[in-house]
Amino acid sequence: MNKKFVERIAAELGEIGKAGLMKTERIITSAQGAEIEVMIPDPGNGSGSGMAGKGHKKVLNFCANNYLGLSSHPAVIEAAHKAIETHGYGMSSVRFICGTQDIHKELEQKLASFLGTEDTILYAAAFDANGGVFEPLFNEQDAIISDALNHASIIDGVRLCKAQRLRYEHNNMADLEVKLKESQSLRNRIIVTDGSFSMDGTIAQLDKICDLADRYDAIVLSDECHSSGFLGKTGRGTHEYRGVMGRIDLITGTLGKALGGASGGFTSGRKEIIEMLRQRSRPYLFSNTLAPSIAGASIVVLDMLSETTTLRDKLEANTKYFRRKMGEAGFDIKAVDHPIVPIMLYDAVIAQQFAAALLEEGVYVIGFFYPVVAKGLARIRVQLSAAHEEHHLDKAIAAFTKVGRKLNVIK
Ligand SMILES: *Cc1c(COP(=O)(O)O)cnc(C)c1O
């Protein structure tokens, strides 16, 4: 045991704590859903990260990525059970040794037809999909042109690749065009963007991005983690929402948000590209197969979403209702359309007090402030779900209004 090393880490943790940047985790004692049970930390119990608590509290959950309410949906749970019975608990292997089952191939095909692509490759997580998509496809002769606010997993994936790197200002098409011109002499250029940006609920302008890609002969990748399953008329994602299905070269996404919420990720696109990833993508080659229960349940999720748009329609109605009522109450709300609803408070201290007061009222939301968002842009992020009923939304709106008045955020 190296004492000096542990002491250095402890000191660095101390600095994180002093800067007020220590992340704590709230412990949920129920299944994920619109109503959850959380542990109330015992104030006498230090960090609050231990198991001892002074009791449980039922709260309304407005901070999960459970957009369609599938995390604990009876049909999804049943499908997972069934897959365990027919295909076992785990594969104890990577895909190319002895880890590919019929349900993995079926899920890949179902994802491809859901997204409007030719083929799909599964990963343990979308973090791995983004980590393993660039290095096999691009090198020094190419350039990756990335939105400045892209997800950490994209940034890490780009780091692992030898391609030249350019960054365009967030959601700024004029700056993207500048970067496309700058890199015109290179072999291939790929424009990379989150389909929806999780802090602001901004939806990427994929239509304009595709037009620029056509003009400058570039490739387009959209990360659909906060979009797949609900954006667009039939829930296919940002490309459907922006009317560019069939024009996106590469789609990465997660099974860990709207599409069931367990875990798992994927990359989808033309079959030649997906085949190259199967040959060369390191997180695919050297990491274990997606659990059969997740593969089996995800197939049922895609069947459900292909049969009916009921869930994404309900999410859309909930989003419209909540955004309208909160606007009427006087709150300053960012973006449009997306079930990520940032309630702007600007002040970091107010954001923390606001979230704490809401929890007292039985509404669980998270305050975000620097460095997660820019200085002076602190906010509470509300995430809506098809699992929310109107009475849940009304309770949240009433709690927001009460706390907002108390903290002088609204009149
Ligand atoms: C959540 C998220 C990921 C990571 O997804 P996992 O499957 O949980 O690894 C990647 N990209 C974006 C944009 C995300 O929001």
Side-chain angles (χ1 to χ4, degrees), residues 125-127 130 151 153 194 196 198 223 225-226 254-257 264-265:
F127 207 105
N130 285 330
H151 190 264
S153 55
D194 284 14
S196 302
S198 63
D223 176 337
C225 283
H226 282 284
T254 184
L255 302 171
K257 288 177 178 141

Side-chain angles (χ1 to χ4, degrees), residues 142-336:
D142 308 304
I144 301 171
I145 308 175
S146 188
D147 185 290
L149 288 192
N150 276 342
H151 190 264
S153 55
I154 293 176
I155 294 168
D156 284 9
V158 171
R159 277 185 189 149
L160 294 171
C161 175
K162 293 204 169 70
Q164 302 188 30
R165 302 166 195 175
L166 293 94
R167 232 166 52 140
Y168 64 98
E169 280 171 32
H170 172 53
N171 203 27
N172 183 333
M173 296 299 104
D175 194 41
L176 170 58
E177 186 162 11
V178 169
K179 300 303 185 293
L180 282 163
K181 280 182 181 155
E182 256 173 44
S183 56
Q184 218 153 10
S185 62
L186 294 169
R187 182 180 62 179
N188 286 137
R189 280 91 45 74
I190 180 168
I191 306 166
V192 183
T193 184
D194 284 14
S196 302
F197 292 85
S198 63
M199 284 302 140
D200 291 342
T202 306
I203 301 171
Q205 305 175 66
L206 282 188
D207 47 346
K208 294 185 183 147
I209 290 176
C210 284
D211 290 346
L212 284 171
D214 287 349
R215 193 169 322 142
Y216 292 95
D217 192 27
I219 301 154
V220 178
L221 182 153
S222 181
D223 176 337
E224 292 288 298
C225 283
H226 282 284
S227 314
S228 290
F230 58 91
L231 271 195
K233 269 197 161 48
T234 63
R236 308 306 157 114
T238 318
H239 57 332
E240 185 182 29
Y241 178 88
R242 293 290 186 198
V244 291
M245 277 189 85
R247 292 180 66 192
I248 308 294
D249 297 277
L250 280 162
I251 288 173
T252 58
T254 184
L255 302 171
K257 288 177 178 141
L259 300 177
S263 62
F266 56 83
T267 300
S268 200
R270 291 291 290 268
K271 60 183 191 308
E272 295 84 352
I273 300 173
I274 300 307
E275 186 55 43
M276 182 57 83
L277 295 176
R278 285 191 208 285
Q279 300 304 316
R280 297 272 167 81
S281 181
R282 294 164 69 83
Y284 179 81
L285 290 170
F286 302 109
S287 186
N288 205 34
T289 303
L290 192 70
S293 56
I294 298 177
S298 301
I299 289 169
V300 167
V301 165
L302 290 173
D303 287 346
M304 273 169 67
L305 301 186
S306 304
E307 250 164 50
T308 160
T309 58
T310 310
L311 290 175
R312 59 89 45 216
D313 294 347
K314 188 172 171 201
L315 174 62
E316 185 175 83
N318 282 350
T319 302
K320 286 207 166 102
Y321 181 81
F322 186 82
R323 280 181 173 273
R324 179 167 60 79
K325 290 278 184 180
M326 288 290 284
E328 285 168 8
F331 286 103
D332 178 7
I333 301 167
K334 251 197 169 191
V336 288

